[in-house]
Amino acid sequence: MTRERPEGLFVGLCTLDVIQLVDHAPAPNQKLTARRQVVTAGGPATNAAATFAHLGGAARLLTAIGSHPLGHVVAADLNRLGVTVSDHAADSVEPPAVSSILVTASSGDRAVVSTNATGYRLAPPEDLDALVAACDIVEFDGHHRELAQAAAQAARAAGRRTVLDGGSWKAGTQDLLPLIDVAVCSDDFHPPGTHTPADTLRFLREHGVVWAAVSRGAQPIMWAGPDGSGTVDVPAVPVADTLGAGDILHGALAHRLAVQGPLTSQGFAEALRGAAAVASQACASFGTRAWMRGR
């Protein structure tokens, strides 16, 4: 089921990101004055949903935000971006997860500290089957384990394409893999017993993932599928900030896959190539949203 305007369901983490552009990471007991600051909604599934919406899709995010004043900031940002939110912690008065992020100006490298989804355990909503049935594609970032597992099972039952953003190996990831059609993982994603991207691709395929890829920053993306494997070059850009590049890659990939029929090796490689172009463009500016003003 595909539409002229694809509909995507994104299941996972939502944070309040406080992003500071600095000359260098501070030494112990040192205070720094940042060059610039951005405060925005963040998290892998959240950034992917924002990308999907920016590219013209209808994005819904299943996550936990809560009713704390900082949660209102997050919700307002997502509303501005055109992302519909299903907040399954709406009654919580606790603050949302806050990610403190330092981006080094000279390299674009980032350092992130966050509690992530540790403060919440989300039960599947009663309308989960309907939410899944209404979309073309479902993307997961591995956070909110119980919710992700239920949504993946509903997607498989409804025949909806599923995508995993494998940023890192998490508890419950192995249970999710047999329900995943497409997994694109970072070079930091290390399933048990794996050491190289080739090991990771083999592991994913052996555990039920049909199409798998490993992104490696500026290096070519490695991929494997049922009828072939290969690499996709990443466009070279002057790097200002690598924060969220993988999330944006997934949002752009989901947007392409939502309107694509049965996948072939050529089609998967082309979808990765297009998504990599969007993610590279995002790396050329500070923060996770500035790139949107250029499209």
Side-chain angles (χ1 to χ4, degrees):
M1 180 187 70
T2 58
R3 292 172 268 263
E4 184 175 342
R5 187 187 186 203
E7 298 197 16
L9 185 66
F10 296 82
V11 183
L13 181 65
C14 186
T15 64
L16 177 67
D17 283 2
V18 181
I19 312 168
Q20 308 272 1
L21 183 66
V22 296
D23 292 322
H24 56 84
N29 296 317
Q30 181 183 18
K31 295 181 179 180
L32 294 180
T33 300
R35 293 188 184 186
R36 294 175 61 190
Q37 172 182 284
V38 172
V39 179
T40 186
T46 299
N47 286 330
T51 300
F52 190 92
H54 177 72
L55 295 175
R60 178 180 289 273
L61 176 65
L62 269 61
T63 191
I65 299 175
S67 60
H68 186 276
L70 291 179
H72 296 318
V73 175
V74 172
D77 187 52
L78 291 171
N79 181 66
R80 179 184 63 81
L81 293 165
V83 176
T84 301
V85 177
S86 292
D87 181 7
H88 298 293
D91 294 333
S92 174
V93 298
E94 296 300 316
V98 176
S99 292
S100 301
I101 303 160
L102 298 180
V103 177
T104 302
S106 61
S107 64
D109 293 337
R110 78 284 191 271
V112 182
V113 178
S114 178
T115 57
N116 291 329
T118 55
Y120 295 99
R121 185 171 183 177
L122 303 184
E126 293 182 0
D127 62 346
L128 180 61
D129 289 346
L131 291 174
V132 169
C135 73
D136 300 298
I137 195 163
V138 188
E139 196 243 35
F140 307 89
D141 64 11
H143 294 279
H144 298 306
R145 175 179 176 180
E146 291 86 355
L147 179 59
Q149 190 73 22
Q153 290 170 345
R156 181 54 54 90
R160 300 298 183 261
R161 183 168 283 163
T162 53
V163 178
L164 173 67
D165 173 354
S168 62
W169 185 260
K170 301 175 181 66
T173 300
Q174 188 155 326
D175 296 332
L176 198 58
L177 292 182
L179 302 169
I180 296 298
D181 299 311
V182 177
V184 180
C185 304
S186 78
D187 208 12
D188 295 324
F189 182 88
H190 298 298
T194 65
H195 304 284
T196 68
D199 292 341
T200 297
L201 292 176
R202 188 180 310 111
F203 183 98
L204 292 170
R205 298 269 298 127
E206 289 174 350
H207 287 76
V209 177
V210 183
W211 297 92
V214 176
S215 62
R216 302 179 296 156
Q219 298 183 67
I221 299 170
M222 297 175 59
W223 65 268
D227 57 356
S229 61
T231 60
V232 170
D233 289 337
V234 174
V237 296
V239 174
D241 184 359
T242 59
L243 179 68
D247 311 341
I248 293 164
L249 175 77
H250 282 86
L253 181 66
H255 186 263
R256 285 175 171 265
L257 295 181
V259 297
Q260 201 162 331
L263 280 177
T264 63
S265 289
Q266 181 179 355
F268 185 50
E270 285 301 316
L272 286 170
R273 186 170 290 109
V278 176
S280 293
Q281 180 186 353
C283 290
S285 56
F286 172 61
T288 54
R289 304 286 184 260
W291 69 275
M292 295 180 177
R293 295 194 285 270
R295 292 181 66 93

